[in-house]
Structures are given as C-alpha cells and as structure tokens.
C-alpha cells in the first residue's frame, strides 16, 4: 500500500462505509487518516458502540464519535445510523451534511421509550423535524417512528424514495408528510399501526407498498397515474383512480375483511395476488373481472361473506373462468377457492373447441380430503385442456389424517400422479 499514489489510496478507501472499518483505517497511518475526507458513505450498525464493560460508552459519547466522523468527511452522501442517538445529535449531523447528503436511513427508536410518554413524543418529533434542513435528500428510510402529528417539513422536492418501517402513525400526519414529498417514485409504509384512512395523490409514484397493522379495516384512496406496482395489506376499502399503469398488484388482509376494491380496468396487469381470511364475493368477482388479461394469478382466500358470518365460496364454472382469463400462464389457487372450481357438473358438456391456451404452471393447495373424485376430475381437466401445461404441483397442507376420507383422497392423488408423472408433482 505504501507504493500506491495518494489519489489511488484515497479512491480505494472512499468505498469504505462501515464506521468501525473507517475508524480502524484511521489508526493505520497518516496517509490512511488523511483519506477520511474522501469517504462518501457512513454506516453505524446497531452494535457499533457495544464496548466491554470496562470501558462503557454513554449515549452522549457515541453521539460525539458519530459527529466527529461525519465532520471529517468533506462530502458525505449517504448516512445510515442504526445505533441510538439523541435529537440534538441528529440536528448537528444533518447541519454538517445539509448540502451533500442524498441518502439518510435512521433507526429512530421512538416506539421503544418506556419513560414519560409526552417526553418521548417530543423527542420523536424533534428528530423528525431535524431532517427538514437536508433539502437534497433523494432517499429517506426511517425505522421505529412515532408520528402522531405532522412534522414541520417545508418540503422534500428531490426525494424519490420514502420508506417508514415499524411506525405508529395518525391519518392526518402521514397524509401531510406524503404531501411534503410531491415527487416520490417509491413509497413504503410497512408495519404501521394507527392508520384508519389515507389518501395518496402523487403524480410520479411508481411503486407503493403499504402494510397496516390493526383490525384490517383501513380505507385507502390512490391517485397515481404512473403507478405500476401496488402491494396493500390491512385495508377493507381500496379505491384507485383508473388512470394507473398497474402491472403488479397484491391485496391481502390478514386481520379483517375486504369489502370493496375499485381499480377500473386492469388491462396491463401481469401479476395479481389476492389473499386473506375473508373477502366479500363482490370484491373477489370485481377484481377478477377487471384483471381478465392477467398472466400470473394467486388466489388464497379462506372464506367469503359480507359480515361476521363466514361463508363458503359460490361455485365457479371452470370453463367460464379460463375463457375470461385466456392469457393466464401461472395459476396458484388455495383450499376453498380451488373447491369452488371443483363442480360436479361443470365439465359435462364442454365445447370441443375449448382450450386453456397459455397456462404453463399450476400450483394447487388442498386442505380437505372431501370430494376427492371432483377434485381429481378438475385436475384432469387442467391437464386435458391446458395445451402448454408443463407442471402441476399439488400441495397437501394441514390435512387431518383422522378424517375417514383421507385414505381415499391420497389413493386418488397418488394414482393421478403415477399416470401423469412427467407433469404432476406432490408436495
């Protein structure tokens, strides 16, 4: 290393980011130490200041260490801090990097404070408001956020990515925070509690991931004409302006019911996943009708029914289903939804011209041994009419072997597998 020119040494060391690695290099030689100003990125892991008991580091000393390392960098572009810090320290850090910082990722720890609730809320708001001075941010990720009121953000017009993970939010606060970032292209609110209703209107948003905790009864309204990826968990009512460009759509609700989904026509949709404990049948049929040109479909819903009463799914005609989804290439269907396709008389009189033209792969999850004959008949129909079918996987999940029909079911499935061993696989 001694023979390397200073410029090359500085270039090599500028690619270090872990704070411990940077600190270690500072102790090697004066040349290494003088290369610190060329560091572009600093990363402080959660255990960055876990010292021996003989030399404990206080919160104030860790804040000072981080401050000194940030001050030593001439033009810091990325700062990631997972270790604990105070609002006062963060204010100092962002003031030092306000003109150069492009990426900021912070573990806020606002939800773990078990002391005075009012003091914790004040500290959390102070941390959020400190960020406002970094006007050049392009990517902002916050973990463990408490945002019960809107932080005094004047606007992040260059911000392209906003990600908030593990947060307690209020509707008005999160809506105003999103409005302060009008040019977002990627938005993620993951593991967020307290949301009841949120409206998002972002003209450049391309990817949106929302995961709301609670009773699963949140309302979501979107007006994002550039949107092509949407993943939503925990909403009962979803309304999306039909001027979108969706190609990838996932809707799940593990804690409540999905009552209504309104997307307009989903002509360009390639992937659709609908999951949850209970969906109203109107919501299921509506989304399937809109997504008639989908290529990859995942259906994992346990029950239907409009209110507290859980109901089984109405019968679905297999021929009609595949006629209206003729571009389907990969199909994953689970339990009760598969049972709805297994009609005893649906395939008695099929038009000789009927085919499933594009289907290449099917994954079926079976949980009940009942109606084995009808289920095998449906699987045989998929093989018969699926002219391009390459693989059919049957997953047996949580089936009670004490049921009297279990042996009969497994016997039928094994026979089906042996006859079609080149395509059928049992998991």
């Amino acid at each position: 290393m001694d023979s390397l020119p200073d410029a090359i040494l500085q270039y090599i060391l500028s690619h270090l980011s872990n704070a411990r690695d940077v600190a270690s290099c500072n102790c090697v030689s004066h040349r290494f130490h003088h290369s610190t100003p060329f560091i572009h990125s600093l990363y402080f892991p959660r255990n960055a200041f876990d010292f021996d008991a003989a030399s404990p580091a206080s919160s104030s000393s860790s804040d000072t260490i981080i401050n000194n390392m940030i001050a030593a960098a001439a033009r810091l572009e990325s700062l990631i801090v997972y270790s604990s810090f105070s609002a006062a320290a963060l204010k100092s850090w962002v003031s030092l990097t306000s003109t150069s910082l492009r990426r900021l990722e912070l573990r806020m720890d606002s939800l773990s404070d078990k002391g005075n609730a009012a003091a914790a809320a004040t500290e959390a708001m102070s941390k959020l408001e400190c960020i406002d001075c970094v006007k050049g941010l392009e990517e902002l990720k916050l973990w463990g956020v408490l945002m019960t009121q809107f932080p005094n953000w004047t606007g992040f017009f260059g911000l392209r990515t906003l990600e908030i993970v593990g947060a307690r939010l209020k509707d008005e606060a999160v809506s105003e925070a999103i409005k302060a970032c009008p040019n977002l292209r990627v938005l993620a609110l993951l593991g967020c509690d307290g949301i009841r209703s949120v409206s998002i209107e972002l003209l450049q948003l391309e990817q949106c991931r929302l995961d709301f905790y609670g009773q699963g009864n949140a309302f979501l309204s979107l007006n994002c004409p550039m949107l092509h990826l949407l993943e939503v968990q925990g909403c009962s009512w979803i309304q999306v302006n039909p001027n979108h460009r969706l190609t990838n759509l996932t809707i799940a609700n593990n804690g409540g019911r999905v009552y209504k989904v309104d997307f307009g026509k989903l002509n360009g949709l390639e992937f659709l996943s609908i999951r949850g404990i209970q969906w109203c049948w109107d919501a299921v049929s509506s989304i399937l009708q809109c997504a008639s040109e989908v290529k990859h479909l995942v259906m994992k819903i346990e029950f239907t029914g409009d209110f507290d009463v859980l109901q089984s799914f109405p019968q679905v005609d297999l021929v009609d289903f595949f006629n209206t989804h003729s571009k389907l290439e990969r199909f994953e269907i689970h339990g009760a939804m598969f049972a709805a396709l297994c009609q005893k008389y649906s395939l008695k009189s099929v038009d000789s011209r009927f085919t499933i033209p594009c289907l290449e792969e099917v994954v079926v999850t079976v949980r009940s041994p009942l109606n084995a004959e009808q289920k095998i008949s449906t699987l045989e129909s998929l093989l018969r009419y699926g002219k391009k079918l390459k693989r059919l996987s049957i997953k047996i999940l949580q089936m009670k072997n004490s049921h009297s029909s279990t042996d009969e079911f497994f016997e039928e499935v094994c026979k089906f597998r042996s006859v079609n061993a080149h395509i059928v696989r049992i998991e």
Side-chain angles (χ1 to χ4, degrees):
M1 296 291 284
D2 291 339
S3 61
L4 286 177
D6 289 344
I8 295 179
L9 180 64
Q10 292 164 2
Y11 176 78
I12 294 173
L13 297 182
S14 70
H15 287 77
L16 292 176
S17 61
N18 190 291
R20 286 187 170 182
D21 295 338
V22 174
S24 299
C25 286
N26 282 341
C27 301
V28 173
S29 67
H30 286 294
R31 291 183 71 212
F32 274 52
H33 178 74
H34 292 153
S35 298
T36 302
F38 298 93
I39 296 289
H40 298 301
S41 174
L42 278 175
Y43 164 56
F44 296 86
R46 190 182 184 109
N47 63 347
F49 301 98
D50 288 352
F51 300 106
D52 296 334
S55 57
S58 66
S59 175
S60 59
S61 64
S62 62
D63 287 349
T64 302
I65 294 171
I66 296 176
N67 191 85
N68 291 339
M69 294 186 71
I70 292 174
R75 186 174 177 79
L76 195 67
E77 296 179 359
S78 174
L79 176 62
I80 303 174
V81 183
Y82 288 164
S83 58
S84 299
F85 61 89
S86 65
L90 178 60
K91 185 176 182 179
S92 174
W93 305 341
V94 295
S95 65
L96 290 170
T97 59
S98 60
T99 58
S100 62
L101 203 62
R102 296 296 177 262
R103 180 189 180 195
L104 179 62
E105 186 169 345
L106 302 171
R107 185 171 69 91
M108 306 289 278
D109 270 348
S110 301
L111 302 181
S112 60
D113 293 327
K114 299 181 180 179
N116 186 288
T122 301
E123 176 78 359
M125 187 56 57
S126 297
K127 289 181 177 180
L128 289 171
E129 292 185 343
C130 288
I131 302 171
D132 184 59
C133 73
V134 192
K135 295 303 182 182
L137 275 181
E138 296 176 0
E139 182 177 343
L140 175 61
K141 295 185 178 182
L142 304 174
W143 301 69
V145 179
L146 177 62
M147 190 188 294
T148 54
Q149 59 185 10
F150 172 58
N152 189 23
W153 289 349
T154 55
F156 296 101
F157 297 98
L159 195 66
R160 296 295 181 262
T161 299
L162 174 62
E163 186 171 318
I164 297 176
V165 182
R168 186 175 303 133
L169 309 173
K170 293 295 184 182
D171 295 350
E172 184 177 356
V174 72
S175 294
E176 292 300 319
I178 292 172
K179 288 179 182 178
C181 313
N183 298 314
L184 283 178
R185 293 179 181 173
V186 178
L187 172 64
L189 305 176
L190 306 176
C192 296
D193 191 15
I195 295 292
R196 299 297 301 273
S197 176
V198 61
S199 179
I200 300 173
E201 184 172 355
L202 294 168
L203 299 181
Q204 298 185 44
L205 190 67
E206 299 175 358
Q207 300 180 28
C208 183
R209 294 180 174 90
L210 307 174
D211 178 13
F212 299 146
Y213 282 171
Q215 299 179 355
N217 59 354
F219 172 84
L220 172 65
S221 175
L222 289 172
N223 182 14
C224 307
M226 303 297 290
L227 189 67
H228 65 79
L229 183 147
L230 176 62
E231 297 177 2
V232 181
Q233 203 292 127
C235 291
S236 287
W237 302 78
I238 303 172
Q239 185 175 28
V240 178
N241 193 302
N243 65 344
H244 55 73
R245 300 181 182 181
L246 279 171
T247 59
N248 190 309
L249 174 61
T250 299
I251 304 174
N253 196 331
N254 300 324
R257 306 174 191 87
V258 177
Y259 288 107
K260 184 177 181 179
V261 290
D262 183 7
F263 287 85
K265 195 65 177 173
L266 293 165
N267 290 327
L269 198 66
E270 296 183 359
F271 174 83
L272 172 63
S273 174
I274 54 176
R275 302 170 180 266
I277 302 299
Q278 182 181 5
W279 279 53
C280 294
W281 182 247
D282 286 345
V284 176
S285 58
S286 173
I287 195 71
L288 290 178
Q289 289 173 10
C290 293
S292 59
E293 299 183 15
V294 69
K295 295 179 180 179
H296 185 174
L297 176 60
V298 179
M299 301 171 67
K300 187 179 178 181
I301 303 172
E302 301 293 339
F303 300 98
T304 185
D306 293 340
F307 299 103
D308 293 335
V309 179
L310 300 176
Q311 300 175 352
S312 58
F313 288 92
Q315 292 184 345
V316 178
D317 188 275
L318 185 142
V319 175
D320 288 344
F321 177 82
F322 283 103
N323 277 336
T324 54
H325 297 84
S326 58
K327 295 184 179 181
L328 199 59
E329 297 176 2
R330 180 179 169 89
F331 187 34
E332 300 178 45
I333 188 166
H334 184 278
M337 296 293 291
F338 175 64
L341 278 174
C342 298
Q343 298 183 56
K344 189 173 183 179
Y345 302 105
S346 63
L347 298 167
K348 290 294 183 180
S349 56
V350 180
D351 191 315
S352 60
R353 295 170 295 180
F354 171 68
T355 61
I356 307 175
C358 300
L359 193 63
E360 297 182 0
E361 183 175 355
V362 176
V363 179
V364 175
T365 302
V366 183
R367 299 184 60 179
S368 170
L370 298 177
N371 303 318
E373 182 181 350
Q374 294 170 220
K375 290 175 180 177
I376 295 299
S377 176
T378 301
L379 294 174
E380 289 175 343
S381 300
L382 293 174
L383 284 177
R384 184 182 307 117
Y385 299 111
K387 301 303 180 181
K388 294 184 178 180
L389 193 63
K390 298 176 181 177
R391 183 163 62 179
L392 195 162
S393 300
I394 305 171
K395 295 184 177 181
I396 312 298
L397 180 65
Q398 298 177 345
M399 186 177 291
K400 296 180 180 179
N401 57 14
S402 60
H403 199 283
S404 59
S405 303
T406 303
D407 291 342
E408 178 186 350
F409 174 79
F410 275 101
E411 182 179 352
E412 293 293 332
V413 168
C414 289
K415 287 180 181 178
F416 178 69
R417 164 70 175 84
S418 62
V419 173
N420 305 282
H422 62 295
I423 293 180
V424 178
R425 183 177 64 182
I426 300 176
E427 298 180 9

